[in-house]
Amino acid sequence: MTATPDASIAPSMSTLAPQFALVDVNNFYVSCERVFNPKLEGTPIVVLSNNDGCAVARSNEVKALGVKMGTPWFKMKDLAREQGILAFSSNYTLYGDMSNRVVQILRDFAPDTEVYSIDESFLRIETVAPLYGGAVAMGQQMRERIKQWTGLPVCVGVGPTKTLAKFANHLAKKNPQFEGVCDLHVIPRPERVRWMGGIEVGEVWGVGGRIARRLEVMGIHTVLDLRNASPKEMRRHFGVVMERTCNELRGISCLALDDIAQPKQQIMSSRSFGRPVETIEELRESLASYLSRAAEKLRHQRSVAGAVYVFIQTNRFNKDEQYNAGLTVPMSEPTDDTLTLTAAALAGLEVMYRSGYRYKKAGVMLTLLSDKHARQASIFDNLVVTQRSTKLMTALDMINRDHGRGTVRSGVSGFTQHWAMRNENRSPRYTTRWDELPTVR
């Protein structure tokens, strides 16, 4: 194992040009499934969305069969039987824990780290890369350590801007000659131009399908075309974000590393039901469960909520039965107490509920969020009640963190939860549940 260098001996960041690395786990959900079941290596796999609806992750074998992201599972079943495709329900508990392990490893290499998504992180490496023998050597060491410690395969892209680091990661992932690490700094300019000229503009970070089609009408078909376009002209047609993208492709860093996640201004928790729900009792259970998760996130970012938005919906595809309702319930005092917020949400449900409908979805959203420690106390505050609530919520979060989410929850959330979303094909939560630990025979 390679020792982690002491970053304190690195040169000052202000004296060096920015150097960004993007580390991306290959086929993240699929790779997580294969880590704990090596027999799946080489087997075509899809991971399905909530209620096993559509493909949100595909192995390379499935991609080669032409299956697109978001393809409904019911449309794939004939192909699955013919090609032996295995389908897994989303195991977000496992994926989240594996993501956290990867991030912890990356922060050992570079403290300046931005978690961009569950499977991608940006790193500032200009001060630390020389300590590992350069960016390519550092990238290979990151790949080896992540593979050894988690079993997950990653690719690394390095560039003078975040957009170019993302582009370099694309090259590393698609071209075996880079051996999983591509540093644009060491590629001669003619070769960089050739790579940019051979990749469609839709592959640029932030350029979606709709924008790509508009760019193609303007004669911009490749990454190189966008790089050579006038930034001011792009701003005129698409706004300041596209102007920044053009400058980033030219090597001008416009996007700083966001190494501290900003508190969310709203927190939503919502799911479609595994089967239609008709009774208010089941709706109470679902809303209480969703509220519990939202309140946990609220406390994690040290915020309090001033209002709860509650909504219930029937199946939008059933034109003969349509009823959608939402209601904002203000709190008398901002709070992070699960029980208080749950009571508010259920009060809103009582107002909205209509019998005779088959409900497909429900959810809650915590709004009017503010910093808990900056909350202005009122003359009606009861210090004893507030302290008791804080201790109770701290104990609740600690137990659920150590023993698994939902170990302790409000009674109104129920026990059977027949309405819960379908996940018949979920793999065990190997890393977070004692009763689902992997076994070796």
Side-chain angles (χ1 to χ4, degrees):
M1 182 181 70
T2 305
T4 302
D6 182 2
S8 65
I9 65 174
S12 169
M13 183 178 294
S14 61
T15 64
L16 298 174
Q19 196 171 10
F20 295 90
L22 176 67
V23 182
D24 181 15
V25 183
N26 303 339
N27 296 330
F28 179 58
Y29 290 179
V30 170
S31 295
C32 287
E33 299 292 347
R34 285 174 168 170
V35 165
F36 296 95
N37 189 352
K39 293 180 180 179
L40 297 175
E41 197 67 43
T43 300
I45 296 172
V46 294
V47 176
L48 304 176
S49 61
N50 294 338
N51 282 316
D52 296 343
C54 58
V56 294
R58 304 153 297 154
S59 67
N60 290 334
E61 295 82 6
V62 173
K63 293 176 183 178
L65 294 173
V67 176
K68 303 298 183 183
M69 180 72 80
T71 302
W73 172 238
F74 75 88
K75 291 185 177 180
M76 297 171 50
K77 287 188 175 180
D78 290 341
L79 180 65
R81 283 191 291 268
E82 295 171 4
Q83 301 295 332
I85 299 174
L86 300 182
F88 287 83
S89 304
S90 294
N91 189 344
Y92 296 120
T93 302
L94 174 65
Y95 307 152
D97 184 67
M98 294 296 284
S99 174
N100 291 337
R101 294 174 186 229
V102 171
V103 172
Q104 289 173 2
I105 295 172
L106 295 177
R107 285 186 170 139
D108 286 341
F109 282 90
D112 294 315
T113 300
E114 173 193 344
V115 181
Y116 176 66
S117 67
I118 194 171
D119 60 344
E120 295 176 292
S121 292
F122 285 103
L123 292 70
R124 281 288 293 267
I125 65 171
E126 65 267 22
T127 60
V128 295
L131 306 175
Y132 294 92
V136 174
M138 179 181 178
Q140 291 296 351
Q141 290 182 48
M142 287 192 290
R143 294 185 72 234
E144 292 169 7
R145 190 179 300 183
I146 291 170
K147 183 66 174 178
Q148 181 181 13
W149 289 12
T150 70
L152 296 172
V154 304
C155 284
V156 182
V158 179
T161 70
K162 292 172 75 173
T163 303
L164 285 174
K166 186 87 168 174
F167 173 71
N169 186 278
H170 175 83
L171 295 181
K173 188 177 294 186
K174 300 295 183 180
N175 300 279
Q177 63 264 42
F178 291 110
E179 298 181 342
V181 180
C182 175
D183 179 8
L184 294 182
H185 297 89
V186 301
I187 299 178
R189 187 177 185 281
E191 188 175 345
R192 292 201 307 271
V193 170
R194 179 174 62 82
W195 282 115
M196 287 185 168
I199 297 177
E200 295 179 354
V201 70
E203 295 294 339
V204 175
W205 183 34
V207 177
R210 182 175 60 84
I211 293 178
R213 289 189 290 272
R214 289 179 60 191
L215 289 170
E216 289 172 358
V217 171
M218 300 169 63
I220 299 174
H221 302 281
T222 67
V223 178
L224 182 63
D225 292 337
L226 184 57
R227 185 249 181 240
N228 292 336
S230 167
K232 290 184 178 180
E233 186 71 8
M234 291 297 101
R235 177 169 183 163
R236 189 171 69 85
H237 287 279
F238 300 97
V240 67
V241 173
M242 186 59 72
E243 179 187 31
R244 290 173 180 167
T245 298
C246 285
N247 283 325
E248 287 245 325
L249 288 174
R250 296 178 173 209
I252 303 171
S253 181
C254 303
L255 303 174
L257 195 73
D258 184 11
D259 54 358
I260 300 177
Q262 297 300 314
K264 295 180 179 179
Q265 299 303 305
Q266 297 175 330
I267 297 177
M268 174 174 278
S269 182
S270 172
R271 290 285 187 275
S272 296
F273 300 132
R275 61 166 178 77
V277 166
E278 298 183 41
T279 67
I280 193 172
E281 289 76 20
E282 289 186 301
L283 287 175
R284 288 195 191 105
E285 290 183 1
S286 64
L287 289 176
S289 296
Y290 303 152
L291 199 290
S292 177
R293 177 60 179 142
E296 180 183 321
K297 294 180 180 179
L298 182 72
R299 292 189 292 272
H300 181 73
Q301 71 173 36
R302 296 179 175 85
S303 297
V304 288
V308 182
Y309 176 74
V310 190
F311 68 90
I312 52 177
Q313 299 175 355
T314 55
N315 190 338
R316 61 190 178 93
F317 296 108
N318 185 353
K319 302 303 182 183
D320 297 328
E321 182 184 64
Q322 287 292 304
Y323 177 67
N324 303 314
L327 181 68
T328 298
V329 183
M331 310 301 299
S332 58
E333 296 290 341
T335 182
D336 63 0
D337 187 289
T338 296
L339 301 181
T340 303
L341 293 167
T342 299
L346 297 185
L349 174 64
E350 295 290 339
V351 175
M352 295 185 300
Y353 175 72
R354 299 288 184 273
S355 62
Y357 288 99
R358 292 157 56 87
Y359 294 95
K360 178 63 176 177
K361 187 176 183 179
V364 298
M365 182 168 62
L366 304 181
T367 64
L368 301 181
L369 306 190
S370 59
D371 186 344
K372 179 176 183 177
H373 298 294
R375 183 177 74 90
Q376 182 68 42
S378 75
I379 61 174
F380 302 106
D381 272 358
N382 186 321
L383 183 59
V384 174
V385 173
T386 301
Q387 291 177 340
R388 185 182 300 150
S389 169
T390 298
K391 291 180 180 179
L392 177 60
M393 293 301 107
T394 300
L396 178 72
D397 292 340
M398 186 179 300
I399 293 171
N400 287 334
R401 183 183 65 244
D402 293 344
H403 298 278
R405 183 173 299 141
T407 300
V408 178
R409 60 183 187 272
S410 62
V412 71
S413 62
F415 296 96
T416 54
Q417 297 188 343
H418 297 302
W419 45 266
M421 67 179 184
R422 295 190 302 270
N423 58 357
E424 291 90 348
N425 299 317
R426 178 183 60 77
S427 57
R429 293 160 290 190
Y430 297 103
T431 62
T432 56
R433 300 282 295 204
W434 287 108
D435 56 340
E436 298 181 21
L437 285 173
T439 56
V440 179
R441 295 183 175 85

